Each structure stands twice: as C-alpha cells, then as structure tokens.
Amino acid sequence: MAIEITDVSKEYFVKGKRIEALKKTTLSIREGEIFGLIGFSGAGKSTLLRLINLLEQPTTGNINVNGTDLGKLAERDLRAKRQKIGMIFQQFNLIETKTVYQNIEFVLKASSYDKKKVPSRIEELLSLVGLSDKMDSYPKNLSGGQKQRVGIARALANEPEVLLCDEATSALDPDTTKTILKLLKKINKEFGITIVLITHEMEVIKEVADRVGVMTAGEIVEMDDVYAVFSHPEHKVTKGFVQDIYDFTIPPHIELNSESEVITIKFLNEHAEANYVNQLYRHFDCDISILNGRIEYIQDMPLGFLMLHIKGRQEEIARLKQFIDDSKGIERAEIYGKID
Ligand SMILES: Nc1ncnc2c1ncn2[C@@H]1O[C@H](COP(=O)(O)OP(=O)(O)OP(=O)(O)O)[C@@H](O)[C@H]1O
Ligand SMILES: [Mg+2]
C-alpha cells in the first residue's frame, strides 16, 4: 500500500473554539492509483493533503507512506521523505523573479541533486511537460496552463513516489484543464507515481481518477471506484456532484399524474449503447418522448441517462416500468437534486 492513513484526525483551535477540520479517518491509497478527493469548500480536503505531505502533524492517528511511519521520523529524515512527495497547487506557486529553468533548478539545488546532472534533468522535465521552448521565460509571460506545467515539472524534479494535487486545475479553463489532466494521467502511467488529487469538480474526477472519496464536514462519506460512484451514488452530496455532470431536472411544464410520468433510465456499461428505447416504443402502448439524455465515458465505460416522458394508461405504464426493472443493465434512476 502506498499511503495508509489510520484513525487520523486534525483539529485547530481558533480563539478558544475547536475546529474539527478532519474527523477520525482511515483510508488506504493504493500504489500507482489516481485517488480523487472531492468536496465543497471547507470540507477538509487540503487539511488531509497537508497531513500526507507532512506539513502538519495529525491530532490523532498515524500516516504511513510507502512503509514509513511519518510520525516516527527525525527532522532530517522527514525532509528527505518530503522530497519524495511532490505537490502542485491551484495558484502554481512559482517564483516570479526566476525563469522557468531557474524555478526547477531551485528545487534541485535545495535537495542537493547531483550538480552535474541538473541541466540534463531540467531539460528532461521540460520536454516531459512540453515546455522546452519556454525555459528562459518568466512566469508572468506564461499562460495558466503553461505555469501549471512548470509546477508539475518542479514537483517531479526529485523523482517523487507520490504527487499531491490541490485544486491544480481550478484556475484553468475547461480545455486547458483537460490537457493538464491528460499530462497527469501520462505521468501516472509512465512513472507509476501515485497521485492524490483534490477538487470540487466532478468533471475532474471523471477524467482521471481511478477511485474517489467524497468529503463533507471533515469526513469521507463515500468512497469507491469512480464508475461505481457515478452509477450508484449513495450520499446526498455525491448525488449532487453527479447531478452536476448529468444536469437533469424535470421541465416545469410537464404535468405529472398516474397517466403521465417522467421516467429516467440509467444505462450501465455496454448496455448504454443497446436498443432498449426501440423496444419501449415497439412493445408498449404509450406515448414516449425524450426530455433529456446523456452518455458519459467513465474509465472508458459508458454510463448513460435518458429522461423520458411517458403518457398512457396506468397499467401500461406499470408494465413498462416492470420491463425496465426486469431488463439487464438498465435501471430506473431517481433524479438527483442539486445540493442547497
Ligand atoms: N490553519 C488553520 N487554522 C484554523 N482552521 C483551519 C486551518 N486550516 C484549515 N482550517 C479549517 O479547517 C476546515 C477545513 O479546511 P480545508 O482547508 O481543509 O478545506 P478544503 O476542503 O480544502 O476547502 P477549499 O475547497 O476551500 O480549499 C475549515 O473549516 C477551515 O476553516
Ligand atoms: Mg483546500
């Protein structure tokens, strides 16, 4: 196991008031996976990341990174271990007065990297992040996406075992976000680096994560493979995040009664591409109109939702629902509401 978090909690005292930033949490992050952590502002995501990064001490519990209990390390060993944990941030945290090259050189020097190898290491890193032509530029002359590429190059300089990303794409537009997430995925695959990524956007989780934990009020309230969480969210916060992606609401002008119902069908895995709709039209004496529909590919597997307005006799609608319930790979879905 790459990162073992056992009974870890963190509390702060501000003006005598106790803030439970992280309630007792036990969590295993697997070696080589991309683990996403999603939650609203104040949920405790950054707190958890800072604990893994050894920037803070937990109030209770212990954290073990690749077999080393962090709480038991002497200051010097702690510093060495910290170099094996890279971190990138929403605001990039580059040194404005240094060029791209010097920004990376700075961390290599600080870690007493073999001097002779520094220039070739920097070149290698810049080529990896696609910035070889920008090595003499200053941060102020770079786009947000390019700045984050420098951030990534710098975080990888000391060949870390773990890369922590705190809202690394939150300051970027959607297209740039995608290219940065692609780069993170490539780094994960090519070097086997474990990535822990925190975000408040389900879109980010959908693009890159293998597993996801949903955090609210200092607690991880749901955790599973990304596909499982998207297809069967349990907690209301998770449902709200899934709703953000699929964006379903029943149009207000639709009149609902026993002979006019809205049914949302969920299509799982390969069934997302099957011809069930055809069968509904053919086998049931109902008027069926499509109100909304969407297929997303999550971990390369399709997950589809289709919202239908069904009009017909009550028994016929009941028969149609029964057909859905009896069919493999499709389910009737509830409409997840937005979170207030
Ligand atoms: N150094 C600190 N001193 C006091 N309280 C803190 C400190 N750091 C965090 N907190 C509190 O702990 C809680 C969790 O904060 P944290 O920064 O972990 O949230 P977050 O999920 O990262 O939020 P965001 O999405 O806004 O970054 C918040 O209530 C915050 O005010
Ligand atoms: Mg935060």
Side-chain angles (χ1 to χ4, degrees), residues 128-143:
L128 173 71
V129 301
L131 276 187
S132 302
D133 56 336
K134 295 282 180 195
M135 68 176 159
D136 296 321
S137 300
Y138 285 90
K140 70 170 186 307
N141 297 323
L142 298 177
S143 70

PDB file of all heavy atoms in Angstrom, residues 128-143:
ATOM      1  N   LEU A 128       9.222  16.622 -20.954  1.00  0.00           N
ATOM      2  CA  LEU A 128       8.077  15.841 -20.466  1.00  0.00           C
ATOM      3  C   LEU A 128       6.797  16.689 -20.416  1.00  0.00           C
ATOM      4  O   LEU A 128       5.732  16.240 -20.811  1.00  0.00           O
ATOM      5  CB  LEU A 128       8.394  15.273 -19.074  1.00  0.00           C
ATOM      6  CG  LEU A 128       7.243  14.584 -18.351  1.00  0.00           C
ATOM      7  CD1 LEU A 128       6.915  13.249 -19.007  1.00  0.00           C
ATOM      8  CD2 LEU A 128       7.565  14.367 -16.870  1.00  0.00           C
ATOM      9  N   VAL A 129       6.925  17.918 -19.930  1.00  0.00           N
ATOM     10  CA  VAL A 129       5.724  18.756 -19.791  1.00  0.00           C
ATOM     11  C   VAL A 129       5.473  19.635 -21.026  1.00  0.00           C
ATOM     12  O   VAL A 129       4.572  20.475 -21.033  1.00  0.00           O
ATOM     13  CB  VAL A 129       5.769  19.636 -18.507  1.00  0.00           C
ATOM     14  CG1 VAL A 129       5.882  18.759 -17.272  1.00  0.00           C
ATOM     15  CG2 VAL A 129       6.910  20.647 -18.566  1.00  0.00           C
ATOM     16  N   GLY A 130       6.306  19.471 -22.057  1.00  0.00           N
ATOM     17  CA  GLY A 130       6.090  20.186 -23.320  1.00  0.00           C
ATOM     18  C   GLY A 130       6.427  21.662 -23.260  1.00  0.00           C
ATOM     19  O   GLY A 130       5.741  22.487 -23.855  1.00  0.00           O
ATOM     20  N   LEU A 131       7.486  22.017 -22.522  1.00  0.00           N
ATOM     21  CA  LEU A 131       7.835  23.436 -22.378  1.00  0.00           C
ATOM     22  C   LEU A 131       9.283  23.740 -22.729  1.00  0.00           C
ATOM     23  O   LEU A 131       9.828  24.755 -22.299  1.00  0.00           O
ATOM     24  CB  LEU A 131       7.594  23.895 -20.929  1.00  0.00           C
ATOM     25  CG  LEU A 131       6.185  24.313 -20.520  1.00  0.00           C
ATOM     26  CD1 LEU A 131       6.219  24.889 -19.116  1.00  0.00           C
ATOM     27  CD2 LEU A 131       5.594  25.338 -21.483  1.00  0.00           C
ATOM     28  N   SER A 132       9.898  22.871 -23.548  1.00  0.00           N
ATOM     29  CA  SER A 132      11.326  23.050 -23.846  1.00  0.00           C
ATOM     30  C   SER A 132      11.624  24.432 -24.426  1.00  0.00           C
ATOM     31  O   SER A 132      12.678  25.013 -24.156  1.00  0.00           O
ATOM     32  CB  SER A 132      11.784  21.986 -24.840  1.00  0.00           C
ATOM     33  OG  SER A 132      11.543  20.713 -24.290  1.00  0.00           O
ATOM     34  N   ASP A 133      10.666  24.979 -25.175  1.00  0.00           N
ATOM     35  CA  ASP A 133      10.924  26.282 -25.805  1.00  0.00           C
ATOM     36  C   ASP A 133      10.670  27.463 -24.869  1.00  0.00           C
ATOM     37  O   ASP A 133      10.831  28.612 -25.254  1.00  0.00           O
ATOM     38  CB  ASP A 133      10.049  26.419 -27.058  1.00  0.00           C
ATOM     39  CG  ASP A 133       8.571  26.233 -26.749  1.00  0.00           C
ATOM     40  OD1 ASP A 133       8.249  25.572 -25.738  1.00  0.00           O
ATOM     41  OD2 ASP A 133       7.733  26.765 -27.503  1.00  0.00           O
ATOM     42  N   LYS A 134      10.281  27.182 -23.634  1.00  0.00           N
ATOM     43  CA  LYS A 134       9.947  28.279 -22.717  1.00  0.00           C
ATOM     44  C   LYS A 134      10.917  28.389 -21.548  1.00  0.00           C
ATOM     45  O   LYS A 134      10.642  29.092 -20.582  1.00  0.00           O
ATOM     46  CB  LYS A 134       8.532  28.081 -22.143  1.00  0.00           C
ATOM     47  CG  LYS A 134       7.419  28.158 -23.172  1.00  0.00           C
ATOM     48  CD  LYS A 134       7.118  29.592 -23.529  1.00  0.00           C
ATOM     49  CE  LYS A 134       6.009  29.667 -24.555  1.00  0.00           C
ATOM     50  NZ  LYS A 134       5.911  30.962 -25.189  1.00  0.00           N
ATOM     51  N   MET A 135      12.060  27.715 -21.641  1.00  0.00           N
ATOM     52  CA  MET A 135      12.873  27.632 -20.426  1.00  0.00           C
ATOM     53  C   MET A 135      13.424  28.968 -19.950  1.00  0.00           C
ATOM     54  O   MET A 135      13.697  29.138 -18.777  1.00  0.00           O
ATOM     55  CB  MET A 135      13.968  26.590 -20.559  1.00  0.00           C
ATOM     56  CG  MET A 135      15.048  26.861 -21.507  1.00  0.00           C
ATOM     57  SD  MET A 135      16.152  25.472 -21.245  1.00  0.00           S
ATOM     58  CE  MET A 135      17.046  25.474 -22.721  1.00  0.00           C
ATOM     59  N   ASP A 136      13.542  29.946 -20.844  1.00  0.00           N
ATOM     60  CA  ASP A 136      14.055  31.243 -20.411  1.00  0.00           C
ATOM     61  C   ASP A 136      12.952  32.271 -20.153  1.00  0.00           C
ATOM     62  O   ASP A 136      13.223  33.436 -19.891  1.00  0.00           O
ATOM     63  CB  ASP A 136      15.041  31.779 -21.461  1.00  0.00           C
ATOM     64  CG  ASP A 136      16.258  30.867 -21.575  1.00  0.00           C
ATOM     65  OD1 ASP A 136      16.710  30.369 -20.513  1.00  0.00           O
ATOM     66  OD2 ASP A 136      16.721  30.614 -22.708  1.00  0.00           O
ATOM     67  N   SER A 137      11.697  31.837 -20.217  1.00  0.00           N
ATOM     68  CA  SER A 137      10.591  32.765 -19.954  1.00  0.00           C
ATOM     69  C   SER A 137      10.366  32.924 -18.454  1.00  0.00           C
ATOM     70  O   SER A 137      10.673  32.023 -17.662  1.00  0.00           O
ATOM     71  CB  SER A 137       9.293  32.232 -20.557  1.00  0.00           C
ATOM     72  OG  SER A 137       9.428  32.070 -21.936  1.00  0.00           O
ATOM     73  N   TYR A 138       9.811  34.071 -18.096  1.00  0.00           N
ATOM     74  CA  TYR A 138       9.421  34.310 -16.708  1.00  0.00           C
ATOM     75  C   TYR A 138       7.934  33.937 -16.552  1.00  0.00           C
ATOM     76  O   TYR A 138       7.173  34.045 -17.517  1.00  0.00           O
ATOM     77  CB  TYR A 138       9.650  35.772 -16.331  1.00  0.00           C
ATOM     78  CG  TYR A 138      11.126  36.067 -16.121  1.00  0.00           C
ATOM     79  CD1 TYR A 138      11.916  36.486 -17.193  1.00  0.00           C
ATOM     80  CD2 TYR A 138      11.704  35.884 -14.865  1.00  0.00           C
ATOM     81  CE1 TYR A 138      13.277  36.718 -17.018  1.00  0.00           C
ATOM     82  CE2 TYR A 138      13.064  36.114 -14.679  1.00  0.00           C
ATOM     83  CZ  TYR A 138      13.854  36.532 -15.759  1.00  0.00           C
ATOM     84  OH  TYR A 138      15.186  36.744 -15.568  1.00  0.00           O
ATOM     85  N   PRO A 139       7.540  33.540 -15.339  1.00  0.00           N
ATOM     86  CA  PRO A 139       6.149  33.124 -15.118  1.00  0.00           C
ATOM     87  C   PRO A 139       5.113  34.130 -15.640  1.00  0.00           C
ATOM     88  O   PRO A 139       4.102  33.741 -16.200  1.00  0.00           O
ATOM     89  CB  PRO A 139       6.050  32.969 -13.603  1.00  0.00           C
ATOM     90  CG  PRO A 139       7.436  32.593 -13.194  1.00  0.00           C
ATOM     91  CD  PRO A 139       8.351  33.340 -14.126  1.00  0.00           C
ATOM     92  N   LYS A 140       5.418  35.431 -15.500  1.00  0.00           N
ATOM     93  CA  LYS A 140       4.401  36.423 -15.903  1.00  0.00           C
ATOM     94  C   LYS A 140       4.118  36.377 -17.410  1.00  0.00           C
ATOM     95  O   LYS A 140       3.090  36.867 -17.862  1.00  0.00           O
ATOM     96  CB  LYS A 140       4.791  37.829 -15.450  1.00  0.00           C
ATOM     97  CG  LYS A 140       5.964  38.459 -16.168  1.00  0.00           C
ATOM     98  CD  LYS A 140       6.055  39.934 -15.760  1.00  0.00           C
ATOM     99  CE  LYS A 140       7.103  40.717 -16.535  1.00  0.00           C
ATOM    100  NZ  LYS A 140       8.456  40.171 -16.564  1.00  0.00           N
ATOM    101  N   ASN A 141       5.028  35.783 -18.174  1.00  0.00           N
ATOM    102  CA  ASN A 141       4.811  35.676 -19.620  1.00  0.00           C
ATOM    103  C   ASN A 141       4.252  34.322 -20.050  1.00  0.00           C
ATOM    104  O   ASN A 141       4.279  33.977 -21.225  1.00  0.00           O
ATOM    105  CB  ASN A 141       6.109  35.962 -20.372  1.00  0.00           C
ATOM    106  CG  ASN A 141       6.586  37.379 -20.125  1.00  0.00           C
ATOM    107  OD1 ASN A 141       5.763  38.295 -20.033  1.00  0.00           O
ATOM    108  ND2 ASN A 141       7.873  37.559 -19.966  1.00  0.00           N
ATOM    109  N   LEU A 142       3.774  33.566 -19.085  1.00  0.00           N
ATOM    110  CA  LEU A 142       3.211  32.241 -19.409  1.00  0.00           C
ATOM    111  C   LEU A 142       1.700  32.239 -19.198  1.00  0.00           C
ATOM    112  O   LEU A 142       1.182  32.973 -18.362  1.00  0.00           O
ATOM    113  CB  LEU A 142       3.830  31.173 -18.501  1.00  0.00           C
ATOM    114  CG  LEU A 142       5.333  30.950 -18.582  1.00  0.00           C
ATOM    115  CD1 LEU A 142       5.738  29.893 -17.552  1.00  0.00           C
ATOM    116  CD2 LEU A 142       5.754  30.523 -19.983  1.00  0.00           C
ATOM    117  N   SER A 143       1.015  31.368 -19.922  1.00  0.00           N
ATOM    118  CA  SER A 143      -0.423  31.183 -19.692  1.00  0.00           C
ATOM    119  C   SER A 143      -0.603  30.331 -18.431  1.00  0.00           C
ATOM    120  O   SER A 143       0.360  29.717 -17.939  1.00  0.00           O
ATOM    121  CB  SER A 143      -1.047  30.466 -20.884  1.00  0.00           C
ATOM    122  OG  SER A 143      -0.598  29.127 -20.915  1.00  0.00           O
TER     123      SER A 143
END
